Amino acid sequence: LQKSLNEIFGADKYSRARKEVLTYMFSRPMQMALYFCTGVVEDETLFRHYALNVPFYTHFTSPIRRYADIIVHRLLSASLGASSPIKMEKEDIQRQAEHCNDRKMASKRVQELSGDLFFSIFVRVRD
């Protein structure tokens, strides 16, 4: 998609803005990744990462931004034997994952509504 957009738009002063708007519009409806505890999910096809085309995937990033990342780091560390096991039942981990998903969706919705509001004001001012 990005390659196609780069080829279509020229070099005029508005091409970058048009490309950014279209990229945003195309990516907005894409399904968001969800956190879940593998111990409560039986369907291993849900572990797959479609875009990376790998059968098993775990989101792994710096744990300074999100609580879910802290949990992933702790679980990975325990599974590699680098730290003691986490004293949480898999159902508790799943509840934490669902809470993180709820907060992530709420944040995304606020971001989208904020963008819509800004665009509405921008259009109104230009009249």
Side-chain angles (χ1 to χ4, degrees):
L1 178 61
Q2 194 67 35
K3 182 180 176 186
S4 297
L5 289 174
N6 286 337
E7 291 174 0
I8 288 175
F9 291 110
D12 69 316
K13 65 180 183 177
Y14 297 112
S15 63
R16 181 176 175 201
R18 286 193 303 265
K19 186 173 78 170
E20 286 180 21
V21 167
L22 284 177
T23 300
Y24 173 74
M25 290 174 69
F26 287 140
S27 64
R28 190 172 179 177
M30 289 182 182
Q31 183 179 0
M32 284 184 58
L34 296 175
Y35 295 108
F36 62 91
C37 177
T38 58
V40 300
V41 177
E42 292 182 20
D43 183 5
E44 287 190 3
T45 61
L46 295 175
F47 302 174
R48 177 177 199 342
H49 191 289
Y50 178 78
L52 297 176
N53 194 27
V54 292
F56 296 101
Y57 176 82
T58 232
H59 182 74
F60 190 86
T61 188
S62 171
I64 62 171
R65 292 183 50 215
R66 294 181 287 256
Y67 181 69
D69 297 324
I70 293 171
I71 296 293
V72 170
H73 277 249
R74 289 177 181 169
L75 289 168
L76 184 59
S77 178
S79 70
L80 294 173
S83 65
S84 58
I86 292 181
K87 294 178 171 57
M88 288 176 74
E89 297 294 322
K90 59 186 175 186
E91 292 79 15
D92 295 327
I93 295 171
Q94 180 60 28
R95 275 193 291 282
Q96 289 293 325
E98 289 168 0
H99 178 73
C100 289
N101 290 332
D102 289 342
R103 298 295 83 215
K104 185 168 68 167
M105 291 297 285
S107 174
K108 183 178 191 307
R109 185 69 181 136
V110 168
Q111 181 181 11
E112 290 172 352
L113 290 171
S114 171
D116 292 347
L117 177 62
F118 176 78
F119 182 71
S120 299
I121 293 169
F122 176 76
V123 169
R124 178 174 245 184
V125 169
R126 296 292 175 209
D127 275 344

